[in-house]
Amino acid sequence: MSARFDMAAIDKAAYKAMFGLEGYLQTTSLNHTQKELIKIRASQINGCAFCLDMHTKDAIKYGETPQRIYLLNAWREALELYTEEEQVLLAMTEEITLISQKGLTEETFQKAKQLFDESQIAQIIMAIITINSWNRIAISTHMPIAK
């Protein structure tokens, strides 16, 4: 599939705004592993090859194991590989990415409140929103994966 156009070149202001969100995410209390798990799981749900390629490579660079990446799509069946915090992050990622189904459920939100403070929950939500936006840009413009 060939790229439709280079949105970064066509609409620099929009890309600057998106990179502003990325800059914000660098200031949060989320660690690299948490951010990459969110990015990979949302990208799996959305079917974004560009982002999956990028973020699986980034996750490995930050020390993530291939096994945890391979099993991320089935994390509920491999709970022993993911911490309680990661399980809540992944549940939040799924529910917010698939917002039209149920949204962020009260059950998941209450679990998040037990493990994270409100500031951290806000940061998690912003990380999920940001990767979902990137997925939509990459898929809509047919951004090619790196070779």
Side-chain angles (χ1 to χ4, degrees), residues 64-75:
E64 187 54 84
T65 66
Q67 181 187 32
R68 283 175 27 113
I69 294 171
Y70 300 150
L71 293 173
L72 191 55
N73 202 36
W75 67 269

Side-chain angles (χ1 to χ4, degrees), residues 16 18 31 34 41 43 46 50 59 89-90 98 122 126:
K16 183 177 180 181
M18 285 300 300
N31 64 44
Q34 292 169 327
R41 187 66 192 113
S43 299
N46 290 322
F50 178 86
L89 287 173
L90 294 168
L98 299 168
M126 289 307 298

Side-chain angles (χ1 to χ4, degrees), residues 101-138:
Q101 290 184 4
K102 297 183 276 184
L104 180 57
T105 64
E106 190 61 28
E107 178 185 359
T108 301
F109 180 70
Q110 291 304 320
K111 287 179 185 175
K113 282 179 58 174
Q114 292 172 6
L115 299 168
F116 304 104
D117 64 32
E118 287 182 348
S119 177
Q120 292 169 314
I121 293 170
Q123 293 168 8
I124 293 164
I125 291 170
M126 289 307 298
I128 296 165
I129 290 168
T130 302
I131 189 57
N132 273 280
S133 296
W134 282 122
N135 289 166
R136 281 148 179 78
I137 291 168

Side-chain angles (χ1 to χ4, degrees), residues 19-32 35-36 39 55 58 62 123:
F19 278 113
L21 285 171
E22 284 298 324
Y24 156 76
L25 292 176
Q26 299 308 311
T27 70
T28 68
S29 63
L30 298 173
N31 64 44
H32 290 299
K35 286 186 269 194
E36 295 307 324
K39 291 174 182 182
H55 295 298
D58 287 347
Y62 293 128
Q123 293 168 8

